[in-house]
Amino acid sequence: MEINWQKVALERDQEITGLQAEIVEFKNTIATLQLKISDLEERLNRNSTNSSIPPSFEGLSKPPVGNRAERRSKKRSPGKQPGSEGKHLAKVENPDEVVIHRPDKCHSCGEDLINGEVVDIETRQVFELPKMAPLVIEHQLLKVVCSCGSKTKALPPKEATAPTCYGPSIRSLVTYLSIYQHVPYDRLCEIFSDVLSIPISPGTVAKMISEGGGLLGLFTETITDLLRDAPVVQYDETGARVEGSLYWVHVASSCLYTLLTCHKRRGKVAMDEMAIISNMKGIAVHDGWKPYKSYEVIHQLCNAHHLRELQAVSDNLGQQWADEMIELLLFAKAEVEKRVGLGKSSLDKKTLKSIKTRYEALIEKGNKENPATDKSQLTKFEKKTISLLFRLDTYSEDVLRFIYNFNSPFTNNQAERDIRMVKLQQKISGSWRTKTGANNFLAIRSYISTMKKHDYNILDGLNQLFNGKAWLPRGPE
């Protein structure tokens, strides 16, 4: 039988072509899987030092707090640092009660010491709580008959709104424990019953907080005006559950004022309604989210975010430029703090030029290590790295503004601290059932936060609020 070699060769060529196609398909599959593996490895490597993951999510395995490069420069032993002011329970000059303890017999010979001379006194003071019980004040409204025969009854004080009611001090303490200390309603009621012998219900707690929030209209207007005129305002936002759906809590804050609001939208619509960044005169500090950049104001980007992102580049890609950029930013921060400590208002020209030159060189070095090739061949993290380099290059003035203007902070930490307690409230309560409840909580939280920044006693301020005259901060003189 004659073999058709032409047919055999054709079949062989077809088989080879099929195998080559399979090889190409396998290579594409391997490349896709390698990208997925790289993305998964990057996700596994995320922690609070190289991403926005909060330390609380890391459990017992979380790394030491703070940026690694920053920790290297601060070799401190644990505990009280040399030169820092210690704290202790100090004695008072006039104790409320004095108890005298006299020895009966001599510990040496056993002689009676009733008539012995006192040669020294050692004092020890014990701080104790008195038995706590409500102070019930009865207001008797007298009705008096006039000579004309008309009867006139005295008007009750404004705190006596019913035959029995809770006074401003109790409402202040309830609000303090709920809003500032985040005690859940049921446990708060138990505290009042067990510790203060005052019966109170969760519904009454909700009513008191609603009352307090409703009295803060003038305060909110005042804070809005003061933030518009502040030299620096920091912004942030975080998600929250309200009425069973996703809402956004926005914060605008400075070293003296805090304003928290709630809105269904996260971006420009909510910011316009807050009406601060759209009307402000100073520097807006934020994390670089696009809606913030749409406002024509002076911007400062948060360098805490940059430090975390650079640390992630170092951890996942091992690129040296990222470590060097971390060192440079921290060096610039330390130089500014040093000059501020000396009472200076600017860096010298040589230092400014050195920082700027090194910054531009590191951006160039980073771009060489991350060339803008076909993005389909890059992992998600490699794309993030290119995006980071673009931001650091394009908005270099907003990144380094803190070295030119000492009013501009290095990070957006003030806003993040002011909004952090909202996340704690969400962990405790899960959500707010109504938008009104969320607004009341945020208004009172803004009030308390602003009082704390002014070193004003919180309970005194809450007492003023429930007496109908909210505390208001003084504006800049």
Side-chain angles (χ1 to χ4, degrees):
M1 181 178 177
E2 187 177 352
I3 299 174
N4 188 341
W5 292 107
Q6 187 176 6
K7 182 179 179 181
V8 171
L10 180 61
E11 290 175 350
R12 183 65 55 86
D13 288 343
Q14 289 175 343
E15 184 179 355
I16 290 172
T17 302
L19 290 172
Q20 287 175 335
E22 286 185 16
I23 290 171
V24 171
E25 185 178 349
F26 287 148
K27 284 183 176 179
N28 291 336
T29 301
I30 290 170
T32 301
L33 292 174
Q34 285 176 332
L35 290 175
K36 288 185 177 180
I37 290 170
S38 297
D39 290 337
L40 290 171
E41 287 178 340
E42 186 271 324
R43 291 177 64 182
L44 285 172
N45 286 335
R46 290 180 191 173
N47 55 55
S48 59
T49 68
N50 60 23
S51 73
S52 59
I53 293 176
S56 58
F57 275 47
E58 296 168 341
L60 299 175
S61 63
K62 65 183 179 183
V65 177
N67 182 273
R68 294 177 188 175
E70 195 168 9
R71 291 199 306 273
R72 290 187 212 119
S73 64
K74 295 181 179 180
K75 297 180 179 179
R76 301 191 310 173
S77 59
K80 178 180 173 295
Q81 301 304 307
S84 63
E85 185 179 349
K87 294 184 178 180
H88 65 284
L89 186 62
K91 289 184 176 181
V92 299
E93 292 185 9
N94 300 306
D96 300 298
E97 183 179 347
V98 176
V99 180
I100 297 175
H101 301 272
R102 185 185 182 99
D104 296 329
K105 296 181 179 180
C106 175
H107 73 273
S108 179
C109 66
E111 185 177 345
D112 193 294
L113 295 176
I114 292 177
N115 298 318
E117 180 186 359
V118 177
V119 293
D120 191 22
I121 298 176
E122 177 185 336
T123 63
R124 299 189 180 189
Q125 294 184 349
V126 177
F127 287 68
E128 189 56 273
L129 285 174
K131 183 178 180 180
M132 288 180 275
L135 174 65
V136 181
I137 302 172
E138 181 175 276
H139 296 274
Q140 297 182 350
L141 310 180
L142 304 182
K143 186 182 290 185
V144 180
V145 179
C146 178
S147 58
C148 69
S150 177
K151 296 179 181 178
T152 303
K153 185 176 74 172
L155 295 175
K158 57 185 177 182
E159 68 267 19
T161 57
T164 58
C165 55
Y166 299 100
S169 296
I170 290 179
R171 285 179 282 170
S172 299
L173 183 57
V174 166
T175 305
Y176 172 85
L177 292 174
S178 177
I179 305 297
Y180 184 62
Q181 299 295 352
H182 303 280
V183 179
Y185 286 9
D186 287 338
R187 288 174 58 193
L188 191 152
C189 295
E190 290 178 10
I191 290 172
F192 267 75
S193 176
D194 296 341
V195 179
L196 302 174
S197 301
I198 298 175
I200 197 169
S201 69
T204 302
V205 174
K207 186 177 179 181
M208 291 176 180
I209 292 171
S210 178
E211 178 191 358
L215 293 170
L216 286 170
L218 178 59
F219 169 82
T220 301
E221 293 175 8
T222 302
I223 292 299
T224 300
D225 290 338
L226 289 170
L227 284 170
R228 286 172 183 161
D229 296 332
V232 176
V233 183
Q234 303 190 30
Y235 298 91
D236 201 5
E237 73 289 329
T238 187
R241 298 289 293 178
V242 181
E243 297 177 337
S245 62
L246 176 63
Y247 274 69
W248 293 91
V249 174
H250 294 258
V251 63
S253 69
S254 69
C255 59
L256 291 175
Y257 316 114
T258 303
L259 183 63
L260 294 155
T261 62
C262 184
H263 201 278
K264 185 66 178 175
R265 303 289 293 275
R266 183 185 181 188
K268 196 171 186 299
V269 173
M271 296 175 189
D272 286 343
E273 281 194 25
M274 200 177 196
I276 295 177
I277 192 171
S278 56
N279 297 286
M280 67 177 292
K281 302 174 183 176
I283 299 171
V285 188
H286 51 83
D287 56 11
W289 192 45
K290 190 175 179 180
Y292 292 118
K293 298 293 291 182
S294 66
Y295 293 97
E296 294 183 2
V297 296
I298 302 171
H299 298 274
Q300 165 72 59
L301 298 183
C302 174
N303 283 303
H305 284 74
H306 294 147
L307 292 178
R308 289 196 295 265
E309 291 177 79
L310 290 165
Q311 188 63 58
V313 174
S314 175
D315 291 345
N316 292 285
L317 302 179
Q319 296 183 358
Q320 187 179 1
W321 74 270
D323 285 323
E324 293 175 0
M325 183 64 84
I326 290 173
E327 299 286 353
L328 175 61
L329 290 174
L330 292 177
F331 167 78
K333 175 175 177 282
E335 286 296 304
V336 170
E337 291 173 348
K338 186 191 302 181
R339 291 304 178 98
V340 170
L342 294 173
K344 305 292 184 180
S345 59
S346 64
L347 294 176
D348 60 88
K349 292 182 179 180
K350 183 179 179 181
T351 303
L352 285 172
K353 184 178 180 181
S354 172
I355 293 172
K356 184 67 175 176
T357 303
R358 289 170 60 191
Y359 184 89
E360 292 173 348
L362 289 173
I363 294 295
E364 184 178 352
K365 184 177 181 180
N367 285 328
K368 287 181 179 178
E369 293 192 46
N370 298 276
T373 56
D374 182 8
K375 289 190 176 182
S376 63
Q377 302 299 317
L378 300 177
T379 66
K380 288 182 180 179
F381 187 75
E382 287 171 336
K383 294 176 185 176
K384 286 182 180 180
T385 303
I386 292 174
S387 176
L388 171 62
L389 278 163
F390 176 80
R391 189 189 330 134
L392 292 174
D393 188 13
T394 306
Y395 302 108
S396 60
E397 288 187 9
D398 298 341
V399 175
L400 295 175
R401 193 172 305 282
F402 71 97
I403 69 174
Y404 298 101
N405 185 337
F406 284 6
N407 287 326
S408 192
F410 181 74
T411 71
N412 194 35
N413 287 353
Q414 180 68 66
E416 293 185 357
R417 283 194 296 268
D418 288 335
I419 208 169
R420 186 176 298 147
M421 292 300 101
V422 173
K423 304 305 291 184
L424 177 59
Q425 175 69 15
Q426 293 281 292
K427 287 181 181 180
I428 294 170
S429 66
S431 66
W432 286 296
R433 293 183 181 179
T434 66
K435 176 74 162 24
T436 301
N439 288 338
N440 289 330
F441 176 92
L442 296 173
I444 298 173
R445 187 77 211 185
S446 301
Y447 184 61
I448 290 174
S449 176
T450 303
M451 286 192 290
K452 286 285 289 182
K453 291 176 179 180
H454 285 78
D455 294 323
Y456 195 83
N457 185 275
I458 297 174
L459 282 174
D460 287 346
L462 290 171
N463 262 307
Q464 288 179 228
L465 176 66
F466 285 106
N467 275 304
K469 190 175 181 180
W471 169 84
L472 295 175
R474 293 174 60 187
E477 297 180 356

